[in-house]
Amino acid sequence: MSVRIRMKKLGRSHQAFFRICAIDRRAPRDGRVLEELGTYDPRVPETDARAILVKDRVDYWLGVGAQPSENVAVLIKKYGTNGTHDAAQKAALAKLSAPKSVPDPGAPASLPKPKKTKEEIAADAAAAAAPAANAEETEGKAQDMPAAQGRGSRARGCITVLRS
C-alpha cells in the first residue's frame, strides 16, 4: 500500500480548514485516513501559526516511505523537524495564546445629566414663581401710563404726542 501525506478539507464554503493526514493514495480527498498528523487553518491572522504538525509522527511516516503532496511538502519544510520557520512559529503561537490587551477608552465624550434632588426641584419651582410675580407688578404699572389708557391700536408701540 502506498501512503501519501496530504490535506483533508473540512469546514464550510469560503471557510476552509484542513487536517494534514496520512492517507492511502487510492482513497478520495476526504476519505478514510490512516493517521492525522496536524492541522492547517488559512484563516488564522498570524501566517506562521497556521500550520501545526505532530513532528515525530510526520518523521515516522516519511521514514516508512510516505510521499507528501506539494503543499504539505512546503509545510513540512517550514514547520517540520528542523524547519526553516520553527522559531517564527513558536513566536506566533505565543502571540496568539497571550491575552488580548484592550486599550483604555479614556474619558467619555459626554456624561449623563445627574438627577435633581427634591431640594433642587423646590428651588427651581421657587425661581420660576418669582418672575411670574414680577410680571404681575409690571402689568399694573403699565396701566398707569398714558399710552395704555385707551388710545386704541395706535397706542401700541407708537409714541403719541398729546396736544393740549
Side-chain angles (χ1 to χ4, degrees):
M1 169 171 54
S2 60
V3 177
R4 201 142 163 100
I5 301 174
R6 63 184 186 204
M7 292 189 200
K8 177 179 180 178
K9 186 176 182 181
L10 300 170
R12 62 180 197 217
S13 174
H14 304 293
Q15 292 189 357
F17 177 83
F18 299 94
R19 287 189 184 152
I20 299 168
C21 305
I23 305 176
D24 180 19
R25 185 179 297 254
R26 295 166 295 196
R29 179 191 70 189
D30 299 334
R32 189 174 68 89
V33 300
L34 300 174
E35 185 178 357
E36 292 180 0
L37 305 174
T39 59
Y40 176 75
D41 187 359
R43 295 180 294 147
V44 173
E46 290 289 327
T47 306
D48 288 321
R50 292 180 180 172
I52 299 173
L53 299 174
V54 181
K55 295 176 183 177
D56 59 331
R57 295 309 297 167
V58 170
D59 292 339
Y60 166 78
W61 282 105
L62 291 174
V64 295
Q67 297 294 315
S69 67
E70 291 179 13
N71 292 337
V72 172
V74 171
L75 293 177
I76 292 172
K77 182 179 177 184
K78 287 183 177 180
Y79 307 113
T81 305
N82 301 324
T84 58
H85 289 74
D86 198 27
Q89 182 184 30
K90 288 179 183 177
L93 290 173
K95 183 178 179 183
L96 285 178
S97 65
K100 294 183 179 179
S101 63
V102 178
D104 183 30
S110 64
L111 296 172
K113 294 181 180 178
K115 293 185 178 180
K116 292 185 177 182
T117 62
K118 292 181 180 180
E119 293 83 20
E120 292 174 342
I121 294 171
D124 289 345
N134 291 339
E136 291 174 2
E137 293 174 9
T138 309
E139 289 176 10
K141 291 179 183 176
Q143 291 175 353
D144 296 339
M145 298 174 78
Q149 293 179 356
R151 299 269 184 227
S153 63
R154 293 178 67 203
R156 287 188 218 151
C158 298
I159 299 175
T160 54
V161 179
L162 297 173
R163 297 182 188 165
S164 356

